[in-house]
Amino acid sequence: MTSSAAKGPASYFPSIEKKYGRPIAEWKELIRSSPLAKHMELVSWLKTEHGLGHGHANALVAHTLAENSGK
């Protein structure tokens, strides 16, 4: 029997939605529409412009960039 619990960056998603009140799809769209492209630039941007904590910002950026690169 396999576990349905999210692993890696996605394991943060329920707490991100609960804490910041936005669905993950909305955060991913913000990241994709940003003119920034580098991981840490995007993390810093989410922290300063949107008030996310480092771990949550890092998880969103890592997951979104991995999706975009087909990983």
Side-chain angles (χ1 to χ4, degrees), residues 8-33:
S11 67
Y12 286 91
F13 290 177
S15 61
I16 292 170
E17 288 181 332
K18 183 177 180 182
K19 183 168 185 173
Y20 304 106
R22 287 178 143 172
I24 295 303
E26 198 172 309
W27 289 114
K28 288 182 174 186
E29 187 53 40
L30 274 174
I31 292 166
R32 289 185 184 110
S33 65

